[in-house]
Every structure is written in structure tokens, then in C-alpha cells.
Amino acid sequence: MAPTSPVFDHKKITVIFVLGGPGAGKGTQSEKLVEEFNFSHLSAGDLLRAEQNREGSKYGDLIRTCIREGTIVPMEVTIKLLENAMEAELKKRTTGEGWSNGLGRFLIDGFPRKLDQAFKFEEDVCLSSLTLFFTTTEEVMLGRLLERGKTSGREDDNVESIKKRFRTYTNDTMPVIEHYAKQNKVAEIDSSPSVDEVYKTAKDVVKKVFTEKHEALEV
Ligand code: ADP
Ligand code: AMP
């Protein structure tokens, strides 16, 4: 088969991946970055939970089992959900900072969690500009998740599922970080301090992406 190019042109569509262990603060920081930089925030976990609950979905049971067991949902499902969500956003948002003249900016949170997803997404959908990598200790993450579990209603915010999620993160997601680190495309941010402290660093990193991108477009 002839090689295909990605659906979206990375010179116009900025994709920043957000990774880190469960409970590291990906969602929390993403929300703040969305407000400041007018991103579309796509959480792989949220998209999968929505698909799991969608009436008539043929993937509902599969997704439910993977989430409970803390394992990776097959990449075809996750990538298609992301691609569809990106397409819908680009159709809907055609004005505003970062969204006119065919531009777009996406913060993709909790993805790619495994190397095969990273390769497939960049081959078929869009090249990424950077991966924000939030790090803290398992002890801190466990504490945050158990606290979140009191109100989140999530089936996987319990000690048994959390331990499995830590294992999946170490075995499957760390190789993704190593892959992008070799390309100098990882910004590691210590997410142990307060939300606002962490955000100060995250904001500077993202600002730099757009500054460099703007320069590149002007050359
Ligand atoms: P993730 O998306 O990485 O799983 P969340 O952003 O949902 O993590 O954060 C997990 C929990 O920890 C949430 O209840 C959130 O309010 C809390 N949290 C996030 N960042 C911090 C922080 N820097 N300090 C203290 N609590 C935090
Ligand atoms: P999260 O909401 O990011 O904590 O993800 C919750 C669960 O959804 C994970 O433990 C996985 O089972 C599944 N999941 C989230 N993101 C992905 C992904 N990129 N690929 C496969 N499964 C995922």
C-alpha cells in the first residue's frame, strides 16, 4: 500500500500531548491551559468514557473492562475517537485566537499511552509539537486519586485499579516518553507543588511552543 500522509497538517494544527501518571494532574493543568491559550482539550479517558456510555456503541463492554483493569483500550478505538473529535472541533471553531484561517490547537490529554498509538496517530492524524510530561511520586498520585475518588464516581479511582494503572503507566507509557525525549520533544514538569506553581512552569513551556511556531510560519 502507498504511504499516506496525516489528515491534519502540523504546521497549521498544533497538537500538544499531555502525559504523566494517573493523578499527576494532567486534567487539572489542561483546564488552565485551555483558558489561557484557547486550546481544544481532548481527554482520551473522557472520550472513552463517553463512548462506553453511548447507546448502541459496540465498544462499550470492551472499554468498561479496560478501564476497570487499568489497561490500554485498543488503539483503533481511541485514535478514531480523537480524529472524529478533532474534525468536529475544526468544523465548529473557525474564529478566535488560534482558530482562524484553517488553524487549530489541541491539547490531547492521556494520549499516547503506548508506542503503537504514538506511531499510528502521527502517521494517520497529525504530528505532535510537544509532550508535556507531569511527574510526581506514586505516593502523591495515590493520595490525589483516593481523594478524587470520594466524589469522582469513577470506577477506577480505587486502590486495586490504581495499582494496575501505575503498572500500565510504567510498562506502556514510559517508552512513549523515552521515544519523544530522544527527539527533544518532551517538557518534564514536576507536578508535586501546588496547582498554581505547576501551572507557572506549564504556561511558560506552552508559550514557547507558540512563539517558535509563529517564527517558523513567518520565515
Ligand atoms: P490526572 O488527569 O493526571 O489523572 P487530575 O488532574 O484529575 O489528574 O488530578 C487528580 C487529583 O489531584 C484531582 O482531584 C486534582 O484536583 C488534584 N490535583 C491535581 N493537581 C494537584 C496539585 N498540584 N496539588 C494538589 N492536588 C492536585
Ligand atoms: P484517564 O481518564 O486518563 O485516567 O484514563 C482512564 C482509563 O481510560 C485508562 O486507565 C485506560 O483504561 C483508558 N485510556 C485512557 N487513555 C487511553 C489511551 N490513550 N489509550 C488507551 N486507553 C486509554
Side-chain angles (χ1 to χ4, degrees):
M1 272 216 313
T4 53
S5 41
V7 176
F8 303 113
D9 175 2
H10 70 284
K11 294 197 189 86
K12 294 193 147 191
I13 308 299
T14 301
V15 166
I16 297 182
F17 294 139
V18 185
L19 288 179
K26 300 180 293 294
T28 304
Q29 295 298 322
S30 294
E31 267 178 37
K32 293 176 82 69
L33 289 166
V34 164
E35 263 183 47
E36 182 125 17
F37 295 96
N38 207 24
F39 280 107
S40 166
H41 173 211
L42 301 178
S43 152
D46 286 351
L47 288 171
L48 287 165
R49 279 184 286 273
E51 178 65 21
Q52 169 195 300
N53 295 328
R54 188 174 65 82
E55 211 172 301
S57 168
K58 57 180 179 181
Y59 301 116
D61 289 342
L62 171 71
I63 295 172
R64 191 166 297 110
T65 307
C66 288
I67 288 183
R68 199 181 42 235
E69 294 301 314
T71 53
I72 305 280
V73 175
M75 69 171 172
E76 288 74 13
V77 179
T78 315
I79 291 179
K80 199 68 207 157
L81 289 173
L82 282 171
E83 187 184 335
N84 290 347
M86 286 174 75
E87 220 151 322
E89 280 289 276
L90 284 161
K91 241 183 226 151
K92 200 170 70 185
R93 294 171 76 158
T94 51
T95 55
E97 190 197 355
W99 291 89
S100 52
N101 301 319
L103 297 177
R105 37 178 79 170
F106 293 93
L107 210 49
I108 305 191
D109 161 8
F111 181 92
R113 272 181 146 100
K114 202 173 171 180
L115 261 182
D116 61 354
Q117 299 182 348
F119 293 139
K120 186 85 180 140
F121 181 89
E122 295 206 314
E123 198 176 298
D124 290 357
V125 185
C126 195
L127 274 175
S128 65
S129 295
L130 187 75
T131 294
L132 295 178
F133 177 39
F134 292 103
T135 56
T136 184
T137 62
E138 281 195 2
E139 197 186 346
V140 168
M141 294 192 279
L142 177 65
R144 287 181 184 172
L145 290 174
L146 291 178
E147 193 55 38
R148 185 175 77 181
K150 290 179 187 166
T151 53
S152 68
R154 280 180 53 157
E155 277 180 57
D156 58 350
D157 280 346
N158 59 76
V159 175
E160 206 179 315
S161 291
I162 291 167
K163 290 208 167 127
K164 291 177 182 165
R165 290 157 71 195
F166 284 159
R167 207 172 320 135
T168 300
Y169 164 66
T170 306
N171 294 342
D172 294 330
T173 310
M174 280 314 291
V176 176
I177 298 294
E178 285 154 17
H179 168 71
Y180 286 122
K182 280 192 206 135
Q183 302 177 6
N184 286 324
K185 280 177 34 173
V186 174
E188 181 168 345
I189 299 171
D190 179 10
S191 62
S192 315
S194 70
V195 171
D196 288 343
E197 278 295 307
V198 177
Y199 183 63
K200 269 191 214 157
T201 314
K203 174 183 163 175
D204 286 346
V205 168
V206 169
K207 213 185 244 174
K208 197 158 162 264
V209 171
F210 287 116
T211 312
E212 284 173 2
K213 200 139 186 169
H214 185 60
E215 283 166 4
L217 285 174
E218 277 181 352
V219 194

PDB file of all heavy atoms in Angstrom, residues 51-64:
ATOM      1  N   GLU A  51     -17.867   7.180  25.038  1.00  0.00           N
ATOM      2  CA  GLU A  51     -18.175   6.117  24.069  1.00  0.00           C
ATOM      3  C   GLU A  51     -18.729   4.884  24.801  1.00  0.00           C
ATOM      4  O   GLU A  51     -19.669   4.242  24.327  1.00  0.00           O
ATOM      5  CB  GLU A  51     -16.909   5.761  23.274  1.00  0.00           C
ATOM      6  CG  GLU A  51     -17.066   4.629  22.267  1.00  0.00           C
ATOM      7  CD  GLU A  51     -18.024   4.941  21.120  1.00  0.00           C
ATOM      8  OE1 GLU A  51     -18.292   6.139  20.847  1.00  0.00           O
ATOM      9  OE2 GLU A  51     -18.509   3.974  20.485  1.00  0.00           O
ATOM     10  N   GLN A  52     -18.162   4.603  25.963  1.00  0.00           N
ATOM     11  CA  GLN A  52     -18.633   3.461  26.768  1.00  0.00           C
ATOM     12  C   GLN A  52     -20.113   3.627  27.112  1.00  0.00           C
ATOM     13  O   GLN A  52     -20.878   2.663  27.117  1.00  0.00           O
ATOM     14  CB  GLN A  52     -17.781   3.415  28.042  1.00  0.00           C
ATOM     15  CG  GLN A  52     -18.255   2.483  29.113  1.00  0.00           C
ATOM     16  CD  GLN A  52     -17.553   2.795  30.443  1.00  0.00           C
ATOM     17  OE1 GLN A  52     -16.347   2.726  30.540  1.00  0.00           O
ATOM     18  NE2 GLN A  52     -18.316   3.131  31.455  1.00  0.00           N
ATOM     19  N   ASN A  53     -20.521   4.861  27.356  1.00  0.00           N
ATOM     20  CA  ASN A  53     -21.905   5.106  27.783  1.00  0.00           C
ATOM     21  C   ASN A  53     -22.844   5.422  26.627  1.00  0.00           C
ATOM     22  O   ASN A  53     -24.035   5.615  26.836  1.00  0.00           O
ATOM     23  CB  ASN A  53     -21.936   6.274  28.783  1.00  0.00           C
ATOM     24  CG  ASN A  53     -21.203   5.916  30.061  1.00  0.00           C
ATOM     25  OD1 ASN A  53     -21.193   4.755  30.463  1.00  0.00           O
ATOM     26  ND2 ASN A  53     -20.545   6.882  30.673  1.00  0.00           N
ATOM     27  N   ARG A  54     -22.302   5.510  25.421  1.00  0.00           N
ATOM     28  CA  ARG A  54     -23.143   5.861  24.260  1.00  0.00           C
ATOM     29  C   ARG A  54     -24.021   4.661  23.895  1.00  0.00           C
ATOM     30  O   ARG A  54     -23.520   3.552  23.705  1.00  0.00           O
ATOM     31  CB  ARG A  54     -22.254   6.255  23.068  1.00  0.00           C
ATOM     32  CG  ARG A  54     -23.029   6.815  21.882  1.00  0.00           C
ATOM     33  CD  ARG A  54     -22.072   7.320  20.807  1.00  0.00           C
ATOM     34  NE  ARG A  54     -21.269   6.255  20.211  1.00  0.00           N
ATOM     35  CZ  ARG A  54     -21.681   5.441  19.245  1.00  0.00           C
ATOM     36  NH1 ARG A  54     -22.889   5.556  18.745  1.00  0.00           N
ATOM     37  NH2 ARG A  54     -20.886   4.494  18.766  1.00  0.00           N
ATOM     38  N   GLU A  55     -25.306   4.939  23.795  1.00  0.00           N
ATOM     39  CA  GLU A  55     -26.224   3.852  23.471  1.00  0.00           C
ATOM     40  C   GLU A  55     -25.884   3.293  22.085  1.00  0.00           C
ATOM     41  O   GLU A  55     -25.656   4.053  21.150  1.00  0.00           O
ATOM     42  CB  GLU A  55     -27.656   4.390  23.463  1.00  0.00           C
ATOM     43  CG  GLU A  55     -28.661   3.346  23.885  1.00  0.00           C
ATOM     44  CD  GLU A  55     -30.042   3.948  24.067  1.00  0.00           C
ATOM     45  OE1 GLU A  55     -30.172   4.866  24.913  1.00  0.00           O
ATOM     46  OE2 GLU A  55     -30.934   3.527  23.334  1.00  0.00           O
ATOM     47  N   GLY A  56     -25.792   1.993  21.989  1.00  0.00           N
ATOM     48  CA  GLY A  56     -25.536   1.368  20.690  1.00  0.00           C
ATOM     49  C   GLY A  56     -24.059   1.211  20.377  1.00  0.00           C
ATOM     50  O   GLY A  56     -23.706   0.656  19.333  1.00  0.00           O
ATOM     51  N   SER A  57     -23.176   1.684  21.243  1.00  0.00           N
ATOM     52  CA  SER A  57     -21.748   1.535  20.959  1.00  0.00           C
ATOM     53  C   SER A  57     -21.363   0.060  21.023  1.00  0.00           C
ATOM     54  O   SER A  57     -21.703  -0.644  21.981  1.00  0.00           O
ATOM     55  CB  SER A  57     -20.898   2.307  21.969  1.00  0.00           C
ATOM     56  OG  SER A  57     -19.544   1.916  21.827  1.00  0.00           O
ATOM     57  N   LYS A  58     -20.601  -0.399  20.003  1.00  0.00           N
ATOM     58  CA  LYS A  58     -20.194  -1.807  20.051  1.00  0.00           C
ATOM     59  C   LYS A  58     -18.944  -1.991  20.923  1.00  0.00           C
ATOM     60  O   LYS A  58     -18.489  -3.100  21.124  1.00  0.00           O
ATOM     61  CB  LYS A  58     -19.978  -2.358  18.641  1.00  0.00           C
ATOM     62  CG  LYS A  58     -18.986  -1.617  17.797  1.00  0.00           C
ATOM     63  CD  LYS A  58     -18.865  -2.273  16.412  1.00  0.00           C
ATOM     64  CE  LYS A  58     -17.874  -1.490  15.559  1.00  0.00           C
ATOM     65  NZ  LYS A  58     -17.701  -1.991  14.235  1.00  0.00           N
ATOM     66  N   TYR A  59     -18.381  -0.873  21.403  1.00  0.00           N
ATOM     67  CA  TYR A  59     -17.155  -0.963  22.201  1.00  0.00           C
ATOM     68  C   TYR A  59     -17.396  -0.812  23.703  1.00  0.00           C
ATOM     69  O   TYR A  59     -16.457  -0.870  24.483  1.00  0.00           O
ATOM     70  CB  TYR A  59     -16.160   0.115  21.740  1.00  0.00           C
ATOM     71  CG  TYR A  59     -15.790   0.002  20.290  1.00  0.00           C
ATOM     72  CD1 TYR A  59     -16.123   1.007  19.383  1.00  0.00           C
ATOM     73  CD2 TYR A  59     -15.109  -1.127  19.821  1.00  0.00           C
ATOM     74  CE1 TYR A  59     -15.786   0.897  18.050  1.00  0.00           C
ATOM     75  CE2 TYR A  59     -14.771  -1.245  18.483  1.00  0.00           C
ATOM     76  CZ  TYR A  59     -15.118  -0.226  17.602  1.00  0.00           C
ATOM     77  OH  TYR A  59     -14.782  -0.339  16.281  1.00  0.00           O
ATOM     78  N   GLY A  60     -18.661  -0.576  24.089  1.00  0.00           N
ATOM     79  CA  GLY A  60     -18.971  -0.280  25.496  1.00  0.00           C
ATOM     80  C   GLY A  60     -18.359  -1.267  26.485  1.00  0.00           C
ATOM     81  O   GLY A  60     -17.656  -0.863  27.418  1.00  0.00           O
ATOM     82  N   ASP A  61     -18.597  -2.566  26.258  1.00  0.00           N
ATOM     83  CA  ASP A  61     -18.127  -3.570  27.224  1.00  0.00           C
ATOM     84  C   ASP A  61     -16.606  -3.657  27.243  1.00  0.00           C
ATOM     85  O   ASP A  61     -15.984  -3.781  28.295  1.00  0.00           O
ATOM     86  CB  ASP A  61     -18.710  -4.955  26.886  1.00  0.00           C
ATOM     87  CG  ASP A  61     -20.198  -4.989  27.189  1.00  0.00           C
ATOM     88  OD1 ASP A  61     -20.653  -4.111  27.950  1.00  0.00           O
ATOM     89  OD2 ASP A  61     -20.903  -5.875  26.652  1.00  0.00           O
ATOM     90  N   LEU A  62     -16.028  -3.569  26.053  1.00  0.00           N
ATOM     91  CA  LEU A  62     -14.564  -3.634  25.943  1.00  0.00           C
ATOM     92  C   LEU A  62     -13.923  -2.474  26.708  1.00  0.00           C
ATOM     93  O   LEU A  62     -12.988  -2.659  27.505  1.00  0.00           O
ATOM     94  CB  LEU A  62     -14.171  -3.553  24.456  1.00  0.00           C
ATOM     95  CG  LEU A  62     -12.693  -3.393  24.140  1.00  0.00           C
ATOM     96  CD1 LEU A  62     -11.949  -4.679  24.436  1.00  0.00           C
ATOM     97  CD2 LEU A  62     -12.488  -3.007  22.666  1.00  0.00           C
ATOM     98  N   ILE A  63     -14.447  -1.271  26.502  1.00  0.00           N
ATOM     99  CA  ILE A  63     -13.891  -0.089  27.175  1.00  0.00           C
ATOM    100  C   ILE A  63     -14.056  -0.213  28.687  1.00  0.00           C
ATOM    101  O   ILE A  63     -13.131   0.033  29.460  1.00  0.00           O
ATOM    102  CB  ILE A  63     -14.557   1.213  26.656  1.00  0.00           C
ATOM    103  CG1 ILE A  63     -14.213   1.431  25.172  1.00  0.00           C
ATOM    104  CG2 ILE A  63     -14.115   2.417  27.473  1.00  0.00           C
ATOM    105  CD1 ILE A  63     -14.972   2.578  24.510  1.00  0.00           C
ATOM    106  N   ARG A  64     -15.237  -0.654  29.110  1.00  0.00           N
ATOM    107  CA  ARG A  64     -15.508  -0.779  30.553  1.00  0.00           C
ATOM    108  C   ARG A  64     -14.489  -1.714  31.218  1.00  0.00           C
ATOM    109  O   ARG A  64     -13.925  -1.397  32.261  1.00  0.00           O
ATOM    110  CB  ARG A  64     -16.938  -1.297  30.767  1.00  0.00           C
ATOM    111  CG  ARG A  64     -17.408  -1.210  32.204  1.00  0.00           C
ATOM    112  CD  ARG A  64     -18.914  -1.402  32.330  1.00  0.00           C
ATOM    113  NE  ARG A  64     -19.657  -0.356  31.645  1.00  0.00           N
ATOM    114  CZ  ARG A  64     -20.371  -0.517  30.543  1.00  0.00           C
ATOM    115  NH1 ARG A  64     -20.457  -1.715  29.967  1.00  0.00           N
ATOM    116  NH2 ARG A  64     -21.001   0.494  29.985  1.00  0.00           N
TER     117      ARG A  64
END
